[in-house]
Amino acid sequence: MANKNKQLESLSMGGFVKSVAERLRAVGKGSDGPVPDLLSYPENRLAQQLHPHVQYLIVEDIIDHSPDMKSYILAPDLKRGGDQLAWFSAGQYLVLQIALDGKTISRPYSIASSPRDTKDGHYQITVKRVEGGIASGYILDHWTIGTPVTASAPLGDFTYERLRDAKTVIGIAGGSGITPFRAFARAIAQGDEDFKLILLYGSRTKKDAVFSDEIAALAESCDKIQIVNVLSASKAKDCEQGFITAKLIEKYAPKDEDYSVFLCGPQAMYRFVDKELATLSLRQKFVRHELFGEYFHPEQNDDYPQDGKAVYTLTVHIAGQTHTVSCAADTSMLRAMEAAGLNPPSDCRSGRCGWCHSQLLSGDVYVPESVDGRRMADKIYGYIHPCCTFPLSDCELDVPPMPKV
Amino acid sequence: MNQYDVIVVGAGNGGLVAAALTAQAGYRTLLLEKHNIPGGCATSFVRGRFEFEPSLHELCSEGSREDQDSATKLFQSLGVNVPLLYEDTLFRVIVKGEDGYDVTLKAGMEPFLDSMEEAVPGCRESVKAFFDLIDPIDDAMNTMGDGVPNPVNLLRKHSDFIRIAGHSTEEVMRALNIPQKAQDLINTYWGYLGVPTDDLNALHYLSMTTAYIKGRPSMPYHRSHELSLALVKALQDNGGTVYYNREVTRFLYDGQDAVCGVIAGGEAFWAKKVISNVIPNNVFNRSDNRHISKRSRKLANARKLGMTFVTIYLGLDCSMEELGVNDYSVFIARDRNPRKQFDTRDKFGLYIVNCLNKALPDATPKGTCTLFFTIPIMPGDLPADLSPETYKAYKNDMAEKFIRDYEETMGISVMPHIEEISVATPVTFARYLSTPRGAIYGYANERWDNIIARSVTEAMDYDTPNLYFCGGHYIRGDGYPSGYMTGEMAAKAVIRDLKEGK
């Protein structure tokens, strides 16, 4: 039996007794029409505009930079219901669905155009032939004006954040890694980004330095942009010669203030420049890498426990079906599943974004530490990112299917 | 093949528990989730070398009747064992301005009362009397059990309960003569409950806050993603199935207007019972309205959407000590009064800053720490003219404003240490939760829609045959334990009805 609290007696019991009647009265005042559609709310609409589940695009134009490098101008595919293009932050990428030989594979490509360019109705991506690359070769050889392209919303966090980054950014670009910097430069020139970009652009020869002249032209009318070509295999007027070293970075970096370093390029460039950067003792917050890209040769790591020559069997549960897939020890589980035509989800292919998050039901795997972007609890409960996971035995895994739109 | 006993729609806290329990009871259970990971709000995200906790501030115990709280018992019954670390303080309140104060309240009822007495001399007895009211509440709840209470019995034996349940928090506090400053101090906690205390039902407040004080706040060691994965394991260990990337786009009904299945990912799945962790608005939007009763529609349309937040997640490249932070949870306000805090929420009325490293010292790499800002706002508070082009600038401006205010309030420097930053708004929550206007707290627990009234009219309010609900929008209001407990309630109802052949 509860103790009676005398002081409570000043409170009526009527409130409780009446509360049901009050509730019924309030409900009675509600409309009996359908509840409002989600997209009638501005918050839901804005979320949808910024992060559409899919973007239906079409190749509107193609720019030839060289036999092995082309830019594709992508516009909304009206026929498939594409309308406006999602706005983005310079530095982000699109994941393109590429149908080849009856399979669908997906690949991330940095957006080389600026956010403002979406108002002119296009994104630009630039594709360079990668030796042995399935997707780049297919695109370069098969895409023509009018090819339909299915893309993700803009993704990725290789973006300029004014509360985090220094006012000056030393951009370090190699090869097709120039593309996000073209977006940064255009966004600065168009007033949508506000920082000083000093771009050190590594190429073999001046001729290989795609977009260099275009960015130099932007720099002429905008003092927040500066581009320096760094040529490894030739000499040219107004260009630095050699590689992007600590010394070179210091030469162009501001002397008495903090600066951020943004890197985008091939893995060999990251390995070289990271060593150089280490000698500059920059705070970690000031050094930002774009996606590492796919991981190859796990067997070359010191902590890899086998010889990397075995071939294992993956039992894959996806979309209510079970498939048996062969996977060489040095091949990521994602690539093996793609080769088998399973169309598993993937966005960044670098271990970071988690879109390929899958459950490992049995078997042993190797995940290189440098690309292990999993959450802590994933490791405890047996979840993996197949894009950066290599089998050490036969394995069984449960993979979410690509969502149907 | 796609025939189940139970389909659970949405793997949030409620859905995970509901599915694990029906599977454990031996029913063929399918959990359908639109994302590729479970948890809803109970998740985590990685930026650089930081793994952020996106929503959980602390797990409060529920049901203070016994030493062991009901959420913990529920987890144990499912074989879920997630390491938790406990905090010794509840929160620090800093009210700025002339008649402001800076008080840290301790966890555990006696230390809490001591810290109240120290802050407001003479308040101890009245504050104690207030929190002692949990006993008559528990008493009444116990006798009610699952059945409909006998009104005469209630009036005769549980008049305290009835007086509490029929009034706002502040009305009950005034009746007990709690000094105004002491009231304001404790009531700053409204920010976590979503409704200012002049409107918030006293019983709701008492049951949540008492549990919080007595049980001590705790955090899962590996973020709330760990809680969610542990619950998925419980589901799978009991023979249940979870399908990710399968958004339910349609609820299916039979000739008697009873739910009989759903369509997810273009495929039909059939079940005897469907439990929705998804807010009724979305269920109705994905149903043929002929099957939805007029009353259900009127209720959904009459309700006010619950609170949402702007949240700021910072990874800093200095330790908590170097930063000069020594509190897990700080509530910062401009005015003592909760209603004024609510009404001036666009002008720093109230916001909360958590430093996870205080609760979990190695939550982030050595020499780093995180801060998590929570700014309560209401659906509709975002600027009406926000567009894709202006959205990021809005987020950065909000973050800068609040970080600067926090720096000034605490006399510390945060900005130069930001290594990672992420800002979420109702737009973010609209994207991830798909709730109307990005509401996080379901429906507001305003006076007529408080948890007592909801409980009494539950059967009338949720009248679609074979369809059960759980989650933050359901009768208990928001919060992790509420989500878990409503999942348990839904599972129990489904199991009972299946057994009885209903």
Side-chain angles (χ1 to χ4, degrees), chain A residues 187-209:
Chain A
I188 293 168
Q190 290 164 341
D192 287 313
E193 293 283 3
D194 185 17
F195 62 95
K196 166 115 191 178
L197 175 64
I198 301 170
L199 185 55
L200 306 180
Y201 181 14
S203 309
R204 281 175 47 78
T205 68
K206 183 76 201 302
K207 219 180 82 196
D208 296 318

Side-chain angles (χ1 to χ4, degrees), chain A residues 1-17 19-20 22-24 26-38 40-51 53 84 86-90 116 119 153-155 157 159-165 192-193 258 283-286 288 318-321 345 352-359 361 372-383 398 400-404, chain B residues 36-37 43-47 49 51 81-82 129 133 136 139 154-157 159-167 171-172 175-177 221-223 225-226 229-230 232-233 236 242-246 265 281-282 284-286 289 294-295 297-303 305 317 379-380 382 386-389 391-392 396-397 399-400 403 415-421 426-427 430-431 434-438 447-449 452-454 456-457 460-461:
Chain A
M1 183 60 217
N3 295 323
K4 290 267 186 286
N5 188 319
K6 285 264 176 241
Q7 287 172 297
L8 282 184
E9 283 172 13
S10 64
L11 299 172
S12 74
M13 294 205 261
F16 179 76
V17 176
S19 66
V20 173
E22 199 186 336
R23 179 174 179 81
L24 295 179
V27 174
K29 284 185 196 152
S31 149
D32 66 357
V35 294
D37 188 76
L38 271 189
S40 69
Y41 298 114
E43 296 87 346
N44 300 79
R45 221 161 38 233
L46 188 50
Q48 164 78 20
Q49 287 168 335
L50 286 162
H51 308 284
H53 292 302
Q84 56 182 341
W87 184 263
F88 62 101
S89 286
R116 189 66 40 195
K119 296 286 156 195
L155 298 167
D157 48 20
T159 53
Y160 182 80
E161 300 301 328
R162 72 173 177 86
L163 299 180
R164 178 195 72 187
D165 301 320
D192 287 313
E193 293 283 3
D258 287 327
R283 286 160 70 194
Q284 192 166 336
K285 67 168 268 175
F286 288 128
R288 319 213 68 99
I318 183 169
Q321 294 188 316
R352 212 191 271 183
C353 78
W355 182 227
C356 61
H357 190 267
S358 298
Q359 188 175 12
L361 299 171
D372 190 351
R374 289 178 293 171
R375 299 159 172 92
M376 290 178 284
D378 287 336
K379 297 172 200 173
I380 300 170
Y381 285 90
Y383 292 82
D398 192 64
M402 279 289 280
K404 289 224 172 69
Chain B
N36 71 335
I37 50 169
T43 181
S44 71
F45 64 96
V46 176
R47 291 282 181 279
R49 50 181 171 160
E51 180 171 341
N81 190 8
V82 170
L133 294 177
D139 237 38
L154 261 183
L155 287 172
R156 200 162 53 84
K157 287 193 177 164
S159 58
D160 281 3
F161 169 85
I162 288 178
R163 291 177 205 277
I164 298 160
H167 289 86
E171 283 163 350
V172 174
L176 297 185
N177 293 319
Y221 197 77
H222 302 102
R223 310 301 112 90
H225 184 52
E226 184 174 19
L229 291 186
V232 168
K233 182 173 185 302
Q236 293 175 330
V242 55
Y243 281 167
Y244 297 108
N245 286 353
R246 305 280 187 109
N281 290 47
N282 289 6
F284 301 162
N285 267 326
R286 293 161 199 206
N289 257 272
K294 192 170 153 183
R295 188 172 189 291
R297 290 196 303 264
K298 279 170 106 50
L299 174 61
N301 282 321
R303 298 180 112 167
L305 292 167
D317 71 349
L382 283 194
L386 219 49
S387 70
E389 294 95 297
Y391 179 60
K392 187 171 173 181
N396 280 329
D397 291 349
E400 181 172 18
I403 296 167
M415 211 63 97
H417 297 289
I418 298 176
E419 180 172 313
E420 300 294 343
I421 178 168
V427 177
R431 173 188 178 193
S434 300
T435 52
R437 312 210 81 160
R447 199 170 277 251
W448 71 264
D449 201 9
I452 311 305
R454 288 181 187 188
V456 174
T457 59
M460 210 189 296
D461 290 343

Side-chain angles (χ1 to χ4, degrees), chain B residues 102-362:
Chain B
D102 180 349
V103 175
T104 300
L105 298 175
K106 297 258 184 279
M109 192 49 82
E110 286 308 311
F112 164 74
L113 292 171
D114 291 344
S115 52
M116 285 299 296
E117 176 68 21
E118 196 185 318
V120 188
C123 79
R124 196 180 207 282
E125 282 316 303
S126 58
V127 173
K128 181 174 185 306
F130 178 74
F131 286 103
D132 280 347
L133 294 177
I134 198 68
D135 294 332
I137 292 174
D138 279 350
D139 237 38
M141 299 287 234
N142 263 344
T143 35
M144 280 191 262
D146 286 338
V148 180
N150 174 336
V152 178
N153 231 349
L154 261 183
L155 287 172
R156 200 162 53 84
K157 287 193 177 164
H158 301 289
S159 58
D160 281 3
F161 169 85
I162 288 178
R163 291 177 205 277
I164 298 160
H167 289 86
S168 75
T169 305
E170 290 184 21
E171 283 163 350
V172 174
M173 286 184 162
R174 272 200 299 276
L176 297 185
N177 293 319
I178 298 180
Q180 190 60 46
K181 184 181 172 186
Q183 287 189 35
D184 290 344
L185 241 178
I186 324 170
N187 288 351
T188 308
Y189 193 68
W190 76 265
Y192 278 166
L193 297 173
V195 179
T197 40
D198 60 357
D199 198 10
L200 183 66
N201 184 276
L203 190 146
H204 183 179
Y205 184 89
L206 267 164
S207 49
M208 293 287 285
T209 318
T210 313
Y212 173 52
I213 295 170
K214 284 190 179 171
R216 298 201 299 159
S218 66
M219 290 298 284
Y221 197 77
H222 302 102
R223 310 301 112 90
S224 43
H225 184 52
E226 184 174 19
L227 296 167
S228 303
L229 291 186
L231 285 168
V232 168
K233 182 173 185 302
L235 167 70
Q236 293 175 330
D237 286 351
N238 284 300
T241 305
V242 55
Y243 281 167
Y244 297 108
N245 286 353
R246 305 280 187 109
E247 181 168 15
V248 168
T249 50
R250 204 76 193 149
F251 287 76
L252 303 172
Y253 295 78
D254 66 15
Q256 275 78 49
D257 293 331
V259 170
C260 59
V262 297
I263 291 178
E267 201 176 339
F269 298 90
W270 309 96
K272 295 173 188 153
K273 304 287 178 190
V274 173
I275 300 173
S276 176
N277 195 178
V278 167
I279 192 166
N281 290 47
N282 289 6
V283 175
F284 301 162
N285 267 326
R286 293 161 199 206
S287 298
D288 185 331
N289 257 272
R290 283 178 309 173
H291 305 297
I292 307 300
S293 75
K294 192 170 153 183
R295 188 172 189 291
S296 287
R297 290 196 303 264
K298 279 170 106 50
L299 174 61
N301 282 321
R303 298 180 112 167
K304 192 165 107 188
L305 292 167
M307 205 169 61
T308 180
F309 298 104
V310 169
T311 49
I312 306 163
Y313 310 93
L314 300 179
L316 304 176
D317 71 349
C318 62
S319 69
M320 191 181 89
E321 293 78 17
E322 287 161 343
L323 191 66
V325 166
N326 195 33
D327 311 287
Y328 173 59
S329 202
V330 186
F331 285 60
I332 297 169
R334 285 291 194 281
D335 196 285
R336 295 171 166 209
N337 180 273
R339 172 59 59 183
K340 283 202 183 129
Q341 292 167 1
F342 179 79
D343 288 342
T344 55
R345 57 192 185 276
D346 60 333
K347 300 184 192 73
F348 305 108
L350 175 73
Y351 66 100
I352 305 149
V353 184
N354 288 78
C355 179
L356 189 59
N357 302 77
K358 181 66 168 59
L360 314 176
D362 55 352

